[in-house]
Amino acid sequence: MRTRRRPAASLLVLVALLVAACGNDEEDQEGSVQPQGEELQLTIGTKDFTEAFIVGELYRQALLAKGIKVRLRKDIGPTEVIDKELQSGRIDAYPEYLGVAVTVAADQEDAGSSAEETYELAKEFYAGRGQAISEPTSFENVDAIATTQFFAQRRGLATVSDLRELPSFTLGARPEFEQRQQGLAGMRDVYGLDNVEFKEIPIGEQYLALDRNEIDAANVFTTDGQLASGSYKVLEDSDRLFGFQHVALVIDEEKLEELGGRKFMGIINEVNGRLTTSAMIQMNRDVEVDGQDEAIVAERFLRSAGLLEGGS
């Protein structure tokens, strides 16, 4: 009897396993956009400053929550460096500022007269190289020129063009800023600033250099956490030299399709849509000023936005 009943029992076990497997497939399809049965991994790179680290962490954690394995390579360098990593295939994607994408990566002088035009120019450029971009973030982080409040009041500075009235001034910025059109080269062309002495200052050290009077003005970003202190004056860029700088994820099109195409981009777009200017300034401040870890800051934001399990 035992011999004859074994096949029936085995069949029942097999059926049960098949039913369970089908159930798991349905759960996987709902919970993950990564194609089943494939060991895929996305490598995301970031530039070399705090906000880039945070955005990279936001993407990594949001994607991981949907079952996509992500390797994060932080601190690669500016566009001139990280774009080469993307083209070589050493990374699959990275968050880029769209005005920089047009003027630096695409090497176009005109970055567009609106955020929408800048986005379309960047999208067209990347498509020509076999790359795609997500929808842009709600916030933009634009290059800006800042001084201490004391220096601005003493010299009567309100706009970038006001710097032209000074006998001379020292500008501190990261090395690549000197030659960029959306940088010192453009400041000279657009605002006629021939009275400037350039001084290389690593990203993150420009505020300390201002406080110590080592420089008169600094290149900063408009979502820097330090600006929340009220100690610094951001000079108005009345001619919008520094362009429109919303952020989008640039990704290799083949890798995008492997990872689920529109479903994958949906995850990135949902994160981008929640990234307001105030939220980004606060996260930057948490890391830059308060010394919190960017991974913890990113996780807290995603949970509060309801983009991770257990969020509010």
Side-chain angles (χ1 to χ4, degrees):
M1 291 291 291
R2 252 186 265 170
T3 304
R4 285 209 307 245
R5 290 175 64 179
R6 272 181 194 157
S10 299
L11 181 60
L12 287 173
V13 171
L14 179 60
V15 170
L17 288 172
L18 288 171
V19 170
C22 290
N24 289 337
D25 282 345
E26 289 177 358
E27 290 175 3
D28 288 342
Q29 288 170 4
E30 290 176 0
S32 172
V33 299
Q34 183 159 306
Q36 301 306 305
E38 296 185 26
E39 285 296 324
L40 295 175
Q41 178 173 278
L42 174 70
T43 300
I44 295 179
T46 78
K47 294 186 177 185
D48 50 354
F49 52 92
T50 297
E51 184 168 280
F53 303 157
I54 295 171
V55 173
E57 275 292 344
L58 289 167
Y59 290 161
R60 183 187 72 83
Q61 294 182 34
L63 291 168
L64 186 62
K66 295 297 183 179
I68 298 176
K69 297 178 181 178
V70 179
R71 177 190 177 213
L72 189 59
R73 282 186 57 201
K74 297 180 184 180
D75 202 14
I76 291 176
T79 296
E80 291 88 344
V81 176
I82 198 169
D83 186 60
K84 291 179 181 177
E85 295 289 290
L86 178 66
Q87 291 186 74
S88 70
R90 286 189 284 270
I91 60 173
D92 303 309
Y94 78 95
E96 179 60 281
Y97 297 81
L98 295 171
V100 175
V102 176
T103 58
V104 178
D107 196 23
Q108 298 179 24
E109 288 190 9
D110 184 6
S113 57
S114 68
E116 293 76 18
E117 187 178 354
T118 300
Y119 178 80
E120 290 302 323
L121 287 170
K123 184 177 180 180
E124 181 181 1
F125 164 69
Y126 285 120
R129 295 200 319 190
Q131 293 149 359
I133 60 174
S134 67
E135 293 176 5
T137 54
S138 295
F139 84 94
E140 66 170 329
N141 184 3
V142 187
D143 277 286
I145 303 302
T147 68
T148 62
Q149 288 285 4
F150 176 78
F151 186 84
Q153 290 171 7
R154 183 181 176 189
R155 302 302 179 95
L157 302 176
T159 69
V160 175
S161 60
D162 289 340
L163 291 167
R164 191 171 52 219
E165 305 304 318
L166 302 180
S168 64
F169 72 97
T170 304
L171 174 69
R174 61 199 191 277
E176 66 271 15
F177 188 81
E178 184 176 14
Q179 302 301 325
R180 286 185 176 181
Q181 186 59 26
Q182 287 184 326
L184 181 55
M187 290 171 64
R188 287 187 168 119
D189 292 343
V190 174
Y191 292 116
L193 298 179
D194 297 325
N195 56 340
V196 55
E197 177 187 345
F198 183 78
K199 183 174 182 179
E200 289 188 9
I201 301 286
I203 290 177
E205 297 182 16
Q206 64 269 51
Y207 292 97
L208 183 59
L210 284 172
D211 294 342
R212 291 176 173 174
N213 297 317
E214 294 172 355
I215 54 176
D216 300 315
N219 167 228
V220 302
F221 300 124
T222 53
T223 57
D224 283 347
Q226 292 92 333
L227 294 176
S229 70
S231 300
Y232 308 98
K233 171 70 174 179
V234 175
L235 303 181
E236 182 185 353
D237 176 19
S238 32
D239 286 344
R240 198 78 193 207
L241 167 66
F242 298 118
F244 300 87
Q245 302 290 359
H246 297 83
V247 176
L249 182 72
V250 184
I251 183 170
D252 177 78
E253 284 185 346
E254 289 186 7
K255 177 64 75 170
L256 175 61
E257 291 308 309
E258 290 175 357
L259 292 167
R262 284 191 300 174
K263 285 186 177 181
F264 172 90
M265 275 304 197
I267 300 169
I268 300 298
N269 292 339
E270 191 168 13
V271 173
N272 285 353
R274 306 293 182 91
L275 292 179
T276 63
T277 299
S278 59
M280 205 68 247
I281 289 175
Q282 184 59 54
M283 284 190 282
N284 284 334
R285 182 172 179 79
D286 289 344
V287 176
E288 293 176 339
V289 179
D290 297 338
Q292 298 181 39
D293 183 83
E294 58 260 18
I296 294 173
V297 170
E299 180 183 3
R300 183 167 63 235
F301 173 82
L302 290 172
R303 290 196 184 283
S304 68
L307 299 179
L308 292 180
E309 290 183 9
S312 57

